[in-house]
Amino acid sequence: MWNSNGRPIAVVLVALMLVVVPASAAATTSQTTATSDASLEEPTVNFNQASANNSTDVDPADTVYVTENGDAILVYREESNETTRLELGMDMSEGLMHMLVTDELDSEVTGTAQAAIGQSEFLANGSMTAPKPEELRSLDANAEVTRTSSEATSSVTLDAVVESEDTTMQAGTISTEGQLRSTASSFDFSGSAAVSGTSSAGAMGPMEHSVSITETETGYTVDVAQDYQVGHYARQQWDTRENATRTLEMQYGLIAEQLGGESEVTIDAYEFTETGENTYRLDIEYTIEYRNVHEAVTQQLTQTLAEAENLTLSEAEARDISERLQELEIERVSGSVTVEEQQMTADWDVQFENFDTVALALLDLAESVESAEEMPESTQEQLDRVRTQLEAAQESGLVQTASWQGELEAGSDGTATVSFQARSEAENWAEYVSALEERGIDTTSYRLRLSATTTDGEVTADLEVTMEDEDLLAQLFSPAATGSDAPDELSEAARAFRQADFERAKMDVSAEDGQLRVEAGAKFANASAFGDLMEETYGHTVQSVVSRPDDGSQVTYVRVEGLVDGSATKSDVRSLDVANESTTIRLPGEWDREFPAMDSTSAAEFLGVEPPEESGSSGNGSADDPNDAETATTADDSGDGGGSGSASSGMPGFGLGVAFVALLAGLAVVSRRRTE
């Protein structure tokens, strides 16, 4: 679209992207964070001549206009894309940033989208229509997620028919269903899966395997049933009941020996038959009793933990943790797999109790790391949060359930039909949220609705997202959100954002009749916090940035404070990194012209914030209005230098790095929040 090599433009994009990208992250719970103490004072980034002279990243301007007080307007001109129009403005004193981009869209996609974020809420909605892909016969998809102080539910449905050009695809069906139930102390997970319509048995022929595990006072009982084909080379291991017993004792005795316990094998049913030349079939049921396993494992764990060099555990503490780890109760663990000629099925059922006891023991173990280097502060905060959430779940009796059912059917005509449903809900959620708040953890309320359907040869998708949290911004851009291992550039951008005292941001996107239009803006009470990022480029305060198309070029005007003193010569200006031998330099008395200014009133109206008290803008709704101008007091007869500045780029070279920093900051927040 446009050359993003421009430093001032990229700085504005940093702010806009930082407030738009991460706001889509859905956070369930987050630690209460203190709000920024940034002041509301005017920008005061101090001039640093050494920094300016030593900088290696500055792109020289095409023209430098010096005012009588030593301020300057740096003008950058470059060729622009014929189809793209970019209007951008930033006013540091007002804390306003605004951007408007229009471009040709090589697509038949149409739609609109809006997003707005304030200090405590995020709202977004959009609708898109696009031509239906040829391979998609039909689609009906819906998703809804609700998380408030009193409710936590979600549901997903998907029905679709897709055509495939693969004529060799075999007809068949894959299906699955299951359910999950968890509390602070228990975990119950069961389900099944089946594949039919294809040859599943393979060279081994039909087979059945099933296993179940139950816990005893000193160990475990394992019941196994197997019916499968045995090859010629394994015949002697199974051809008699005695050989089968010996084989099983060797297999399971080794496991008992590793656990420090004992094992006993009992064959309950046995049949070994010859089914063909050098092929046999084994049908067997047996039981393995593991005894004295718990105490042996406890002793092994105690010794291992007590001797670990990176842990600060006494032998008594190590034994306490080991015993608590052993308190996990296996209520039931069972599973089976059956393979037939045209079908394979599997099912499982798992239930554990005393899960919370084990979880707390693991937290104690994690907190016993010896050195601070091995236990970063952010990690300790995460451990504290997990412990608090577990305690709140125990107190409230939180119960979370989920279920799913899905099927994929491949037809002989090359079509695939997909059907899937899933839902989840939580009991005692309101009590859980209250227990969290009593412990200093606030929850973020959010709702998400998404739908996509096919109608009359088109695909239509709708999205609606709302989020509410008193400390939403503080959480999204807290040091814990960016992480202690984040790149310096990402951390610096997030730090500047926190200190800028954010008020509001908004973005509108529309695509219609082959045209794309994107308008975005942001309001900060203390925009000077972004000065550090700009100081890396200029070594002094940036007062404003305006960029707009002009006669086939993109022209950017950067007003800086204190570039030189009032008696500076052209040689003094040319010695700075903002100029080179090709830069046109105009000193006071050599020019008299007007420069475009940001239309602050229109930007404020777009954002829905109070407009500046005094504004000379005429308000055409663009990021900068050609009718708005700042009038200088000296004369100019040379224009803007016509591209005679930097050979590498006519725009100030802030590089793609800063824009990517903003994008990565948002993606990092999304990733971290979704996994909490």
Side-chain angles (χ1 to χ4, degrees), residues 95-117:
L96 282 170
M97 301 178 183
H98 191 219
M99 176 183 71
L100 175 63
V101 182
T102 58
D103 198 1
E104 291 184 1
L105 185 64
D106 187 18
S107 171
E108 297 182 52
V109 174
T110 62
T112 60
Q114 300 83 34
I117 183 170

Side-chain angles (χ1 to χ4, degrees), residues 49 52-53 570-579 585:
Q49 187 67 53
N53 287 336
K570 290 187 178 182
S571 297
D572 294 332
V573 176
R574 202 176 301 280
S575 67
L576 302 176
D577 282 354
V578 296
I585 298 173

Side-chain angles (χ1 to χ4, degrees), residues 130-205:
K132 181 175 69 68
E134 293 183 2
E135 61 272 15
L136 180 64
R137 282 193 181 181
S138 65
L139 172 67
D140 186 3
N142 293 275
E144 184 169 348
V145 180
T146 300
R147 189 69 53 90
T148 66
S149 60
S150 60
E151 179 185 4
T153 60
S154 67
S155 63
V156 176
T157 62
L158 171 65
D159 292 287
V161 179
V162 181
E163 296 180 352
S164 173
E165 297 180 357
D166 184 3
T167 58
T168 64
M169 182 174 63
Q170 289 184 302
T173 302
I174 300 174
S175 62
T176 179
E177 63 178 6
Q179 47 278 327
L180 184 152
R181 182 180 187 275
S182 67
T183 69
S185 61
S186 65
F187 179 81
D188 191 347
F189 181 41
S190 60
S192 63
V195 179
S196 62
T198 61
S199 180
S200 304
M204 294 300 295

Side-chain angles (χ1 to χ4, degrees), residues 62-279:
D62 292 289
T63 307
V64 176
Y65 294 89
V66 181
T67 66
E68 292 180 349
N69 64 357
D71 294 349
I73 297 92
L74 312 180
V75 181
Y76 299 83
R77 178 183 293 270
E78 70 170 354
E79 294 183 3
S80 61
N81 189 314
E82 293 181 357
T83 65
T84 304
R85 179 179 178 85
L86 166 65
E87 299 178 355
L88 182 148
M90 176 175 65
D91 187 326
M92 301 295 285
S93 64
E94 299 294 344
L96 282 170
M97 301 178 183
H98 191 219
M99 176 183 71
L100 175 63
V101 182
T102 58
D103 198 1
E104 291 184 1
L105 185 64
D106 187 18
S107 171
E108 297 182 52
V109 174
T110 62
T112 60
Q114 300 83 34
I117 183 170
Q119 294 180 343
S120 61
E121 67 176 0
F122 169 71
L123 306 173
N125 62 80
S127 179
M128 181 202 74
T129 300
K132 181 175 69 68
E134 293 183 2
E135 61 272 15
L136 180 64
R137 282 193 181 181
S138 65
L139 172 67
D140 186 3
N142 293 275
E144 184 169 348
V145 180
T146 300
R147 189 69 53 90
T148 66
S149 60
S150 60
E151 179 185 4
T153 60
S154 67
S155 63
V156 176
T157 62
L158 171 65
D159 292 287
V161 179
V162 181
E163 296 180 352
S164 173
E165 297 180 357
D166 184 3
T167 58
T168 64
M169 182 174 63
Q170 289 184 302
T173 302
I174 300 174
S175 62
T176 179
E177 63 178 6
Q179 47 278 327
L180 184 152
R181 182 180 187 275
S182 67
T183 69
S185 61
S186 65
F187 179 81
D188 191 347
F189 181 41
S190 60
S192 63
V195 179
S196 62
T198 61
S199 180
S200 304
M204 294 300 295
M207 65 180 70
E208 294 183 23
H209 296 272
S210 66
V211 60
S212 67
I213 302 173
T214 56
E215 191 168 2
T216 65
E217 290 186 4
T218 64
Y220 304 94
T221 298
V222 182
D223 294 303
V224 182
Q226 296 176 298
D227 183 359
Y228 65 101
Q229 184 172 298
V230 177
H232 173 71
Y233 294 104
R235 177 183 61 84
Q236 292 183 347
Q237 298 177 15
W238 305 101
D239 58 356
T240 67
R241 195 181 191 97
E242 291 75 15
N243 286 344
T245 301
R246 188 179 301 109
T247 299
L248 293 171
E249 288 176 342
M250 291 179 60
Q251 290 178 351
Y252 293 100
L254 180 61
I255 297 175
E257 182 179 343
Q258 292 174 340
L259 294 175
E262 305 168 358
S263 66
E264 180 180 349
V265 176
T266 302
I267 294 181
D268 304 307
Y270 170 84
E271 183 178 0
F272 188 84
T273 57
E274 185 174 359
T275 57
E277 184 177 357
N278 293 328
T279 59

